[in-house]
Amino acid sequence: MQRRRFLGLTAAGAATAALAPALTACGSDGGSGSKTLRVVAADYGDKAANHSQNYWDALARAFEAQNKGIKVEATVLSWTEVDKKVADMVAAGKAPDIAQIGAYADFAASGKLYSADQLLKIPTQADIIPSIARAGEVARVQYGLPFVSSTRMLFYNKSLFTKAGIAKAPESWDELQAAAKKLQTAGVKIPYGLPLGPEEAPAETLLWMLSGGSGYTDHDGTYTINSEDNITTFNWLRDELVGKGLTGPGDPARTNRQEVFDAFCKGQVGMLNGHPTLMKQADAAGIKYGTAPLPGKSGKAKATMGVADWIMAFKAGGHREEVGLFLDFVYSTKNVLNFTNQYDLLPVTSSASDRMRADSSKAHLKPFLEQLDNAVFYPVDKTSWAKVSKTLKEKIGSVVTKGGDPASVLGEIQREADATELAGAGK
């Protein structure tokens, strides 16, 4: 899911698994006084040529050439298995020194991770974009180090807009509805694509919450799932988009993100929320498209959603100094860009972001990059988030169906979130 979240790809399966070496125990001291760091990372590629094992192997050899006496062994696994594999290793007392996976909060809460200030040099830590760094904090201490990021924008089909007589991208909900009605009248199958199916329901939900002026949590990190703004947002979605047939013939509760992306690339969707990978898919399909900030309740939304994957360092191997040296190397501008450029992802450091802005070949990513400073991330610092996310996938789609009750459903999810938080605090 994390991989599809960024890249819109299915798991690489056996083809990529065959490339990954077998998992081994936590970091160890090798012969002749050398030390070996074990790294487990996720694959972002879709074929052997861009399998992420290639990146980590090259990175390891370059680091070893500059740091005699430290060896790095990297194991790269598909997103369908990497989180569970790391969890199993930790449970078995064989935690890797470094893991690059989707979530860190449980490990941080149980005291298994080094904090960022125990690992990184001050210039390295200061280079991480503040909005993303904050998303890696638990109780104001950073344990999750962002690895790559992405933001979301409104995509629209320029050809369909011209056909429907729409002059520009909508900036408000009223403009969004008006544009959707024109697209509907022009015979567009799906005027606005609304994927509230299980694949990425938490993402589409957050995007709409942000456009309505709220979110999953407030500035203090307290869940605000059933806030008045959120209830208003989903009432509007139910009545003014879905209820008027402006989201097409399908059921939004059963519609997944990739289905809408595929339909957009067939010229069947007028507008949808998307991430940078959709540009590559649309270009390949010959779709003329534009991107714009999220429309808000009465004007452009003040923030969009940001997504990040995480690096964490486990204490079990006892190699804090060596891990710190390696991570400083990982976060060098050159190495950050080597990875993000390969997959059209966004860098998490200010220096690499500045370099990307100045690169004319990456101009298509600039609008997404400009949103990072104010992006809002999932509350991944909460150990309760995994359960809340699962509940959202199961229930949120029902709020926009005929007879759906946003206040009731959001209230139910809020109560479960609060109870999970309370249970976690009592451990």
Side-chain angles (χ1 to χ4, degrees):
M1 188 61 65
Q2 299 279 344
R3 192 158 167 271
R4 172 167 287 184
R5 177 182 69 191
F6 283 147
L7 303 174
L9 301 170
T10 56
T16 57
L19 291 170
L23 287 173
T24 55
C26 60
S28 60
D29 293 343
S32 304
S34 66
K35 293 185 177 180
T36 300
L37 301 180
R38 314 289 182 182
V39 179
V40 179
D43 180 31
Y44 292 77
D46 61 343
K47 53 185 177 290
N50 68 354
H51 192 280
S52 299
Q53 186 74 50
N54 302 326
Y55 170 83
W56 286 102
D57 285 347
L59 191 73
R61 302 296 83 80
F63 174 77
E64 290 169 355
Q66 296 180 25
N67 296 271
K68 302 301 183 183
I70 306 176
K71 300 293 183 182
V72 178
E73 293 184 3
T75 299
V76 176
L77 302 170
S78 73
W79 272 113
T80 57
E81 60 180 340
V82 67
D83 287 298
K84 184 178 186 303
K85 290 284 189 181
V86 170
D88 289 346
M89 293 173 72
V90 173
K94 298 179 179 180
D97 292 289
I98 297 168
Q100 183 269 299
I101 52 178
Y104 63 86
D106 284 339
F107 300 129
S110 58
K112 299 182 184 301
L113 302 180
Y114 290 116
S115 62
D117 59 2
Q118 291 177 310
L119 299 166
L120 302 178
K121 293 179 180 177
I122 291 175
T124 304
Q125 192 171 0
D127 196 26
I128 297 175
I129 295 170
S131 63
I132 317 179
R134 286 193 295 271
E137 294 179 354
V138 174
R140 302 185 184 277
V141 178
Q142 186 181 0
Y143 295 96
L145 306 177
F147 179 59
V148 289
S149 62
S150 179
T151 59
R152 304 295 170 92
M153 299 190 76
L154 179 76
F155 281 70
Y156 59 97
N157 184 309
K158 289 185 174 181
S159 299
L160 295 181
F161 266 45
T162 298
K163 178 182 177 182
I166 305 168
K168 65 181 182 67
E171 295 183 358
S172 68
W173 289 357
D174 286 345
E175 290 181 5
L176 178 70
Q177 185 197 55
K181 285 180 176 178
K182 289 182 178 181
L183 290 163
Q184 184 185 54
T185 301
V188 175
K189 182 178 180 181
I190 305 172
Y192 180 86
L194 183 65
L196 289 174
E199 179 188 325
E200 244 200 349
E204 189 71 16
T205 298
L206 179 55
L207 287 166
W208 276 97
M209 286 178 169
L210 291 171
S211 76
S214 189
Y216 285 128
T217 62
D218 62 18
H219 292 299
D220 296 322
T222 302
Y223 279 117
T224 55
I225 295 167
N226 67 336
S227 69
E228 287 299 319
D229 282 338
N230 286 340
I231 293 171
T232 297
T233 294
F234 285 98
N235 278 329
W236 188 88
L237 262 181
R238 179 196 61 197
D239 298 337
E240 303 301 329
L241 275 190
V242 180
K244 288 181 166 45
L246 300 177
T247 56
D251 178 2
R254 292 184 170 86
T255 301
N256 285 324
R257 171 85 57 203
Q258 193 58 46
E259 296 171 49
V260 180
F261 276 17
D262 291 344
F264 185 81
C265 293
K266 293 176 183 176
Q268 299 173 347
V269 179
M271 300 173 284
L272 77 168
N273 292 324
H275 49 67
T277 300
L278 180 56
M279 293 189 290
K280 186 175 292 187
Q281 293 178 238
D283 287 338
I287 299 295
K288 295 180 179 179
Y289 62 89
T291 59
L294 299 181
K297 188 187 302 184
S298 56
K300 293 179 183 178
K302 294 180 180 179
T304 188
M305 172 187 171
V307 182
D309 288 329
W310 302 94
I311 284 181
M312 60 217 69
F314 289 89
K315 296 177 180 178
H319 293 147
R320 181 177 68 85
E321 183 178 348
E322 293 79 13
V323 168
L325 285 171
F326 182 64
L327 291 178
D328 279 321
F329 188 73
V330 168
Y331 284 100
S332 69
T333 302
K334 175 184 175 182
N335 289 327
V336 169
L337 288 173
N338 280 348
F339 193 87
T340 56
N341 285 345
Q342 185 174 173
Y343 300 107
D344 260 0
L345 294 170
L346 302 183
V348 298
T349 63
S350 297
S351 60
S353 296
D354 290 343
R355 188 81 62 84
M356 181 176 279
R357 286 187 183 94
D359 184 350
S360 60
S361 71
K362 297 298 177 181
H364 60 295
L365 291 175
K366 188 174 180 179
F368 295 88
L369 194 61
E370 297 300 334
Q371 299 186 112
L372 263 181
D373 286 343
N374 295 315
V376 176
F377 293 79
Y378 289 139
V380 290
D381 59 312
K382 294 177 173 290
T383 57
S384 59
W385 173 243
K387 186 174 182 180
V388 173
S389 178
K390 181 175 182 293
T391 303
L392 283 161
K393 293 176 182 180
E394 295 168 349
K395 298 181 178 180
I396 196 64
S398 68
V399 305
V400 298
T401 58
K402 186 176 182 179
D405 187 348
S408 176
V409 174
L410 292 174
E412 182 181 351
I413 299 172
Q414 175 78 39
R415 288 190 294 275
E416 180 175 305
D418 290 341
T420 306
E421 277 281 276
L422 186 62
K427 289 182 179 179

